[in-house]
Amino acid sequence: MFESLSDRLGKIFDGLRGRGALNEADVDVALREIRRALIEADVSLEVVRAFVEQVRDRAVGVEVTRSVTPGQQVVKIVHDELVAVLGETAIAIDLNAPAPVTLLMVGLQGSGKTTTTAKIAKRLKDRQKKKVLLASLDTRRPAAMEQLRVLGEQVGVDTLPIVTSETPVQIARRAEREGRLGGYDVLILDTAGRTHIDEELMAETAEIKTIAKPHEILLVVDALTGQDAINVARSFDSRLDVTGIVLTRVDGDGRGGAALSMRAATGKPIKLIGVGEKMDGLEDFHPSRIADRILGMGDIVSLVEKAAEHVSAEDAQKMAKKLKKGSFDLDDLRGQLIQMKKMGGMGGLMGLMPGAGQIKKAMANSNIDEKVFDRQIAIINSMTKKERAEPDLLNASRRKRIAAGAGVEVSEINKLAKQHRQMADMMKKVSKGGMGALGGMFGGKMGGMLGGMPDISKMDPAQLEQMARQAGIDPKQLQGLPSAQPQIAQKLPSDVGALLKSGSGLPGLPGLGGPPRFPGLPGLGKKK
């Protein structure tokens, strides 16, 4: 959803990074382009004004003028302010209340309330082992209750038996009683929606709130709605005091303005985002990670979390042992392809990799068919156990038999065999020579990165100064070398947690700046 905005901001920052120094005119030009990019992305005008004002205050101040790399510092400032607009920290659904904890789902018709209700139920059941009861209060939309019942069966969650003659308020009372007597941990009420805000809808929902006494009122908003989503959020919040927002269709081709505006304009946190039609297509909303994605920095934490969900510790240990021995057969390749598919395919993974925006765009332009993974898995499944373990057995006759079994041409078998051979050769090199050998395969900068760092004590001052500037460190801090290497090692904490806590001493890291000061917006406090 954020691709167009990410591309625009990326071009603006590319122009800034190459500058040795920035003056106020450079910052003004960049901010004008940022303002245009945000408005084109459908961000609310009041949020754009506050955002640009805050970035200007910091970008033309002491922070940038004293920075060794002012272009990088402006990127960091924009990152910090994006995080401020999106809400600083991730806020999960609060279940800290006597059981059954009631969640009330509200929003306009077509925003995805019913599907989101089932997704949340599955999430609570699978991740937190909660016993959940679903109840549909939508007596107006045809088959709305039946839809929730079917979705409940799909995710393995109980639903309140349907009684067609009851009113929404009567259903809410019955659901509360059933939740209490049935020993449920969580009760989720799916209310009716309308195509637009009207008094009848608000009065009915307010009455349900009085009866159900929900602990959380979650407003479901379609991310494709654009700026009108903010008006919807304010209308519901003024009558119901919404506790959180769920954005649906974040994986769509909308321009992302609703997500950037919602928290700042309403003061209510975005708690979850819908990223797919499947029942597991729901993610926690992490402001810093979304800011990283918008600025093309990737989202390594989410990538690691996805890997942890789909790769068991036992499988990882087995693969590590095989890599150590340098063995990599076709069963291993099939396992890697299946895991990649579960994690969202090549496109999904590329979206989370730092600096992979251009690669992802190139993949899209070249029309790479991700169904090739399915075909490759089918090919490997058509082989015998012995053939998968010993790919060298694949002679011409065996390849013809496998191609017929998988319904593909023999050329596809040849491509897969070549791909496996290249990967197996790479694994052998890694097992023999470590990361240095792998770096040698790539050559150039990659080889230098993987092959080890240079010895600082043997470098002349000019090289040291250049290296320091590339790392975003003031060269004046490296006085008195060659003893600088131990000093740097002493300054850096030994573990990642301590390193992040000491962020104030690391000028080049995004997301570690001071608190933002946005004027006049409920979600961002007052200007100091």
Side-chain angles (χ1 to χ4, degrees):
M1 186 175 76
F2 299 108
E3 280 184 13
S4 59
L5 177 60
S6 181
D7 289 345
R8 284 290 303 272
L9 292 179
K11 289 175 184 175
I12 296 165
F13 294 140
D14 284 343
L16 291 177
R17 286 191 186 101
R19 306 285 183 86
L22 293 180
N23 54 38
E24 194 167 340
D26 293 329
V27 173
D28 284 341
V29 171
L31 287 178
R32 188 160 59 246
E33 291 299 318
I34 290 172
R35 185 189 297 110
R36 284 178 184 167
L38 292 173
I39 290 173
E40 284 180 14
D42 227 2
V43 180
S44 171
L45 186 59
E46 59 185 319
V47 177
V48 173
R49 285 174 177 162
F51 179 86
V52 171
E53 178 190 331
Q54 185 59 36
V55 173
R56 184 191 304 278
D57 288 346
R58 293 179 60 184
V60 299
V62 180
E63 283 184 62
V64 170
T65 55
R66 289 185 182 175
S67 172
V68 178
T69 53
Q72 294 281 10
Q73 193 71 9
V74 171
V75 177
K76 174 186 178 300
I77 290 168
V78 172
H79 178 279
D80 292 345
E81 301 310 325
L82 273 176
V83 173
V85 167
L86 294 169
E88 293 290 350
T89 56
I91 300 176
I93 292 176
D94 182 17
L95 299 179
N96 187 20
V101 181
T102 303
L103 310 182
L104 185 65
M105 310 295 290
V106 300
L108 293 182
Q109 186 175 315
S111 60
K113 283 192 308 299
T114 304
T115 307
T116 302
T117 299
K119 286 181 179 181
I120 292 174
K122 175 178 169 58
R123 189 181 181 86
L124 294 176
K125 177 179 78 78
D126 293 347
R127 296 194 178 191
Q128 300 184 35
K129 309 303 178 188
K130 299 292 185 183
K131 186 180 179 184
V132 184
L133 176 65
L134 302 179
S136 174
L137 311 186
D138 190 350
T139 57
R140 294 173 175 271
R141 184 166 61 89
M145 293 181 174
E146 183 65 19
Q147 180 190 1
L148 188 65
R149 186 191 66 76
V150 171
L151 289 173
E153 285 182 359
Q154 283 182 15
V155 299
V157 171
D158 294 339
T159 55
L160 189 73
I162 298 171
V163 179
T164 54
S165 59
E166 288 185 334
T167 65
V169 174
Q170 290 172 331
I171 298 171
R173 283 199 180 99
R174 182 162 62 93
E176 192 277 330
R177 185 173 63 252
E178 183 66 29
R180 206 166 7 90
L181 297 176
Y184 290 94
D185 300 309
V186 181
L187 168 64
I188 308 181
L189 302 176
D190 177 28
T191 63
R194 302 285 192 282
T195 55
H196 61 279
I197 298 289
D198 62 17
E199 182 56 33
E200 185 185 4
L201 165 67
M202 288 302 179
E204 180 184 290
T205 313
E207 188 178 0
I208 292 169
K209 178 192 172 185
T210 304
I211 297 295
K213 297 181 175 60
H215 185 62
E216 286 263 27
I217 301 176
L218 299 177
L219 172 63
V220 182
V221 182
D222 189 338
L224 306 185
T225 308
Q227 290 197 24
D228 192 51
I230 298 163
N231 300 327
V232 171
R234 284 175 169 161
S235 299
F236 274 97
D237 186 41
S238 63
R239 292 293 294 269
L240 302 173
D241 191 20
V242 170
T243 60
I245 297 167
V246 181
L247 275 179
T248 60
R249 300 194 207 177
V250 173
D251 58 323
D253 56 359
R255 290 177 287 183
L260 288 175
S261 308
M262 198 76 68
R263 168 65 168 77
T266 64
K268 304 299 179 178
I270 300 172
K271 296 197 171 187
L272 296 166
I273 52 175
V275 292
E277 295 180 4
K278 293 182 180 178
M279 287 295 106
D280 58 355
L282 198 66
E283 291 181 3
D284 292 319
F285 183 82
H286 293 272
S288 61
R289 299 186 195 178
I290 297 295
D292 286 346
R293 292 188 205 181
I294 292 172
L295 297 183
M297 297 173 183
D299 187 354
I300 291 297
V301 180
S302 293
L303 187 60
V304 172
E305 286 180 352
K306 275 193 174 186
E309 281 180 26
H310 297 105
V311 183
S312 67
E314 187 181 348
D315 290 341
Q317 285 177 353
K318 284 180 182 177
M319 181 55 71
K321 286 179 182 177
K322 284 203 164 195
L323 291 180
K324 199 170 182 181
K325 293 178 182 176
S327 66
F328 186 80
D329 59 27
L330 286 164
D331 275 324
D332 298 324
L333 178 58
R334 180 179 59 180
Q336 297 299 309
L337 292 171
I338 291 171
Q339 286 171 11
M340 189 180 293
K341 280 192 65 189
K342 286 180 180 176
M343 292 169 65
M346 186 66 77
L349 295 179
M350 278 297 174
L352 300 177
M353 295 291 286
Q358 297 301 321
I359 301 173
K360 188 178 178 184
K361 196 183 293 183
M363 285 174 58
N365 293 337
S366 60
N367 295 320
I368 292 177
D369 183 9
E370 294 225 3
K371 288 184 179 177
V372 71
F373 295 143
D374 294 324
R375 289 198 292 273
Q376 289 180 336
I377 292 168
I379 290 169
I380 298 172
N381 287 340
S382 298
M383 299 177 185
T384 65
K385 191 173 181 181
K386 191 172 183 181
E387 287 169 343
R388 292 198 294 268
E390 300 178 42
D392 292 337
L393 294 174
L394 296 177
N395 55 26
S397 61
R398 286 176 185 262
R399 293 188 186 203
K400 283 182 183 177
R401 189 203 81 241
I402 293 165
V408 298
E409 299 292 330
V410 176
S411 60
E412 294 273 353
I413 313 295
N414 297 337
K415 284 180 187 175
L416 179 65
K418 184 179 178 182
Q419 177 185 332
H420 169 263
R421 189 165 57 251
Q422 289 173 341
M423 293 181 73
D425 289 344
M426 185 173 72
M427 297 305 173
K428 284 178 184 175
K429 287 201 175 188
V430 173
S431 66
K432 288 178 182 177
M435 294 303 286
L438 182 60
M441 291 178 65
F442 294 103
K445 291 182 180 179
M446 185 66 77
M449 286 165 62
L450 296 172
M453 289 292 290
D455 186 353
I456 293 180
S457 63
K458 295 179 182 178
M459 297 174 69
D460 62 50
Q463 288 176 308
L464 284 169
E465 184 172 332
Q466 184 182 2
M467 184 177 168
R469 289 186 185 280
Q470 289 174 347
I473 302 171
D474 189 344
K476 293 177 182 177
Q477 296 176 2
L478 302 178
Q479 300 293 335
L481 291 167
S483 61
Q485 190 172 7
Q487 288 175 10
I488 293 171
Q490 287 171 8
K491 284 183 182 179
L492 290 176
S494 57
D495 64 291
V496 177
L499 180 67
L500 292 175
K501 287 178 184 174
S502 65
S504 57
L506 299 170
L509 290 180
L512 299 172
R517 305 172 303 280
F518 279 78
L521 290 172
L524 298 164
K526 296 179 180 178
K527 187 173 180 179
K528 294 179 183 177

